[in-house]
Amino acid sequence: MSETFLLTGATIEGGETADILLEDGVIAEIGAGLSRTGATVVDADGLVALPGLVDLHTHLREPGYEASETILTGSQAGAAGGFAALFAMPNTSPVADTAGVVEQELALGEAAGYLTVQPIGAVTVGQKGERLAELGAMAHSRARVRVFSDDGFCVWDPLIMRRALEYVKAFDGVVAQHAQDPRLTEGAQMNEGTVSAELGLAGWPAVAEESIIARDVLLAEHVGSRLHVCHLSTAGSVDIIRWAKRRGVNVTAEVTPHHLLLTEELARGYDARFKVNPPLRRDEDVRAVREGLADGTIDIVATDHAPHPHESKACEWAAAANGMVGLESALRVVQLAVVDTGLLTWADVARVMSRTPAHIGRLAGHGRPLRAGEPAHLTLHDPSGEGPFGASDLHGRSTNSPYLGRTLPGRVAWTFHAGTATLRDGTLTPAAEVAR
């Protein structure tokens, strides 16, 4: 029989204060003055209760790149960050482009038990952009894949992109595009602009992102399909998405925590922790994506958690891999960038980090309202105080976080997945206990 929890005095999505009873994997009751004999009582006074966070964009690396991350260690990092579900990108080895691979990932996530691991299928075979992968087979597999992406690579061929958009309509799927024109970004090392010129680094121009987004929203409109734009990073991209939504195009977009906070100026130190794709942009772009998230143009926050082994980052900038880990820091960075600045409320955070990503990915049982009868996927966050983000806050296999040594507000206190406490008062529950 699962453990029963009574969370007392929680602030539900930053609004009303109530007790929450978790029993048999569901929210059994919400109200004032609740009690239950034998329940584990959690003093949630001052804690914000959010529906368990859902990340639509995570790199878990398994199978094939277990030196960087495994599904178990990535799940632990997610639980430590308040996540109850992760969507796993397909750039593994072998690539997740068949029913067999996505079912393997699903099974590994179930065995880990910390959260729901939902595989994302590749759009093209081997992510090579040449021919469509087994989209239907993955959609009808036990993994029930509904999101397809070649993330890390752009689906650059407009005909392939059109065919993918047409194909996924049959099962209410969505194509998630990594918007990067490969010809415009050959050899690119950072954002193209004054800083790249001063540093002598090849630039990654904003138009390389914006031109692909513009093309793809028109393709999505033409075929009447769902398009999702990964890690949007420029002011121009926000304008294009805003225009497309006014036209009625069925497009959604995400922004990462690091693009909400960090700028290209960090490249001046040649610290490869700040090398990422798309690159950190100008201060004007950071302001634009914050405003786009606040006004609903950008639908969700997604981490683009991208772990790498130490040697892939502890080298010269040009040779370093792109990417940052971000699961454990995401909620704290969102608090810093858009909650403490007054752009979003905690109810908005529940929307952009739980409800909407679950809806885009068609992930049943997640992103649900905090009310009786719903699955007990829940995050308790303490927004008070602040502290340095350090290596001890990381629970995956890689340490390529851009926030090490930086003071961040808040603290994820508790995470519940189907009623199981995967994080207890800031301490990760041991794997054996979670599995049991």
Side-chain angles (χ1 to χ4, degrees):
M1 189 172 181
S2 62
E3 190 173 358
T4 298
F5 290 91
L6 179 60
L7 319 179
T8 62
T11 304
I12 298 177
E13 296 185 14
E16 66 173 327
T17 299
D19 301 339
I20 306 172
L21 181 66
L22 311 182
E23 191 171 35
D24 296 330
V26 301
I27 298 173
E29 191 175 357
I30 295 180
L34 300 183
S35 64
R36 180 58 56 92
T37 301
T40 299
V41 177
V42 176
D43 181 2
D45 182 38
L47 304 184
V48 177
L50 300 168
L53 305 185
V54 177
D55 187 12
L56 197 66
H57 191 146
T58 311
H59 298 273
L60 294 180
R61 305 303 191 202
E62 187 177 13
Y65 303 109
E66 290 84 357
S68 299
E69 195 78 283
T70 67
I71 288 176
L72 172 60
T73 61
S75 296
Q76 291 172 326
F83 288 90
L86 304 177
F87 282 76
M89 280 294 179
N91 54 338
T92 52
S93 182
V95 170
D97 57 6
T98 66
V101 178
V102 296
E103 288 183 344
Q104 176 191 6
E105 292 176 338
L106 181 73
L108 288 169
E110 291 171 340
Y114 279 91
L115 41 71
T116 299
V117 173
Q118 176 56 51
I120 293 175
V123 176
T124 64
V125 174
Q127 295 184 295
K128 294 180 179 179
E130 297 170 352
R131 57 192 177 93
L132 289 181
E134 299 176 4
L135 309 185
M138 289 186 281
H140 295 105
S141 71
R142 197 172 75 85
R144 295 191 72 257
V145 176
R146 290 298 179 269
V147 183
F148 299 87
S149 181
D150 275 358
D151 184 62
F153 303 94
C154 179
V155 182
W156 59 269
D157 186 324
L159 182 59
I160 294 287
M161 187 64 179
R162 173 184 175 167
R163 296 297 182 231
L165 288 165
E166 290 173 328
Y167 200 120
V168 300
K169 289 175 63 178
F171 38 78
D172 192 27
V174 63
V175 178
Q177 176 68 294
H178 174 110
Q180 176 187 359
D181 188 305
R183 293 298 302 279
L184 291 174
T185 55
E186 290 181 4
Q189 294 292 317
M190 65 169 294
N191 180 57
E192 180 180 283
T194 302
V195 178
S196 66
E198 292 176 2
L199 298 179
L201 294 174
W204 200 119
V207 69
E209 174 175 302
E210 295 157 6
S211 60
I212 295 296
I213 296 174
R215 181 200 75 177
D216 287 351
V217 295
L218 292 173
L219 285 173
E221 179 182 48
H222 181 67
V223 304
S225 189
R226 290 203 296 141
L227 169 71
H228 180 74
V229 178
C230 295
H231 43 49
L232 178 153
S233 68
T234 77
S237 295
V238 177
D239 289 339
I240 294 167
I241 296 295
R242 189 176 285 122
W243 171 84
K245 287 188 171 185
R246 285 200 300 263
R247 277 176 74 95
V249 180
N250 196 352
V251 58
T252 53
E254 72 189 33
V255 64
T256 69
H258 49 270
H259 285 115
L260 287 169
L261 185 66
L262 309 178
T263 74
E264 63 181 357
E265 291 292 331
L266 290 165
R268 291 189 182 277
Y270 296 101
D271 184 339
R273 287 183 302 134
F274 301 110
K275 186 179 180 184
V276 66
N277 184 350
L280 301 178
R281 302 289 190 180
R282 306 167 303 162
D283 183 65
E284 301 96 299
D285 295 304
V286 171
R287 291 198 301 269
V289 296
R290 287 185 182 187
E291 292 166 3
L293 184 65
D295 69 20
T297 300
I298 299 173
D299 300 86
I300 67 170
V301 175
T303 70
D304 193 10
H305 174 82
H308 291 289
H310 178 73
E311 59 271 19
S312 294
K313 284 292 191 177
C315 58
E316 64 271 21
W317 181 279
N322 287 305
M324 305 167 169
V325 294
L327 288 169
E328 297 97 334
S329 55
L331 190 54
R332 297 175 70 181
V333 173
V334 166
Q335 179 181 339
L336 175 62
V338 291
V339 177
D340 290 351
T341 55
L343 290 171
L344 293 187
T345 66
W346 287 112
D348 293 326
V349 172
R351 171 174 52 83
V352 302
M353 295 189 73
S354 183
R355 291 199 181 93
T356 303
H359 176 71
I360 292 170
R362 302 300 192 253
L363 188 61
H366 284 273
R368 301 294 301 162
L370 295 181
R371 63 188 183 199
E374 297 289 356
H377 306 311
L378 195 77
T379 302
L380 292 178
H381 179 70
D382 181 0
S384 66
E386 61 183 17
F389 188 84
S392 62
D393 293 298
L394 298 173
H395 296 273
R397 286 195 168 176
S398 300
T399 59
N400 53 304
S401 168
Y403 306 110
L404 293 177
R406 183 165 186 152
T407 297
L408 295 176
R411 179 182 74 103
V412 179
W414 290 75
T415 307
F416 297 91
H417 177 251
T420 294
T422 56
L423 183 75
R424 292 172 174 261
D425 196 19
T427 299
L428 197 68
T429 304
E433 292 184 27
V434 171
R436 184 169 63 248

